[in-house]
Amino acid sequence: MRIVIGTLALDAPGGTETYCLTVAGELERLGHEVTLFADEPGRLAEQAAAGGFHVAWSEGDLPADCDAVLANDAITAGLLAEHYAERRRVYCFHSPVYDVQL
């Protein structure tokens, strides 16, 4: 499967960021094609790319198509839902503390 994992930011390490990188690695290990997308890419996105992950640095870098989307916040969930309107979407709730993740 071709899977896009979206999150608000891949800059400073944190729980959601670590989760995205861990899931991406495990999905790739299982043979899936994974693209990481962050609305705000940064240091972790650079490290991910250097480590061999495919990183979409902007909406224009997203693959033309995919089989599924794993969104980790409301902003990227909406953005990726528009981009991949007919694809399966999974939303992962991480925290009730941050409104963007509710």
Side-chain angles (χ1 to χ4, degrees), residues 9-96:
L10 278 175
D11 188 26
T16 302
E17 295 80 8
T18 302
Y19 171 84
C20 290
L21 295 175
T22 300
V23 170
E26 291 303 309
L27 288 170
E28 285 189 347
R29 186 180 66 77
L30 292 170
H32 300 289
E33 290 179 35
V34 177
T35 298
L36 288 165
F37 170 76
D39 195 47
E40 300 170 13
R43 293 173 293 164
L44 285 180
E46 292 169 1
Q47 290 175 358
F53 287 107
H54 180 258
V55 176
W57 298 95
S58 68
E59 287 183 62
D61 293 334
L62 286 167
D65 199 9
C66 72
D67 298 301
V69 169
L70 172 60
N72 292 276
D73 61 83
I75 294 169
T76 54
L79 188 146
L80 293 172
E82 286 181 11
H83 198 82
Y84 302 110
E86 300 299 319
R87 298 297 166 241
R88 294 177 191 104
R89 292 180 297 274
V90 176
Y91 187 93
C92 185
F93 294 90
H94 291 280
S95 172

Side-chain angles (χ1 to χ4, degrees), residues 95-99 101-102:
S95 172
V97 175
Y98 304 105
D99 286 345
Q101 292 184 337
L102 291 175

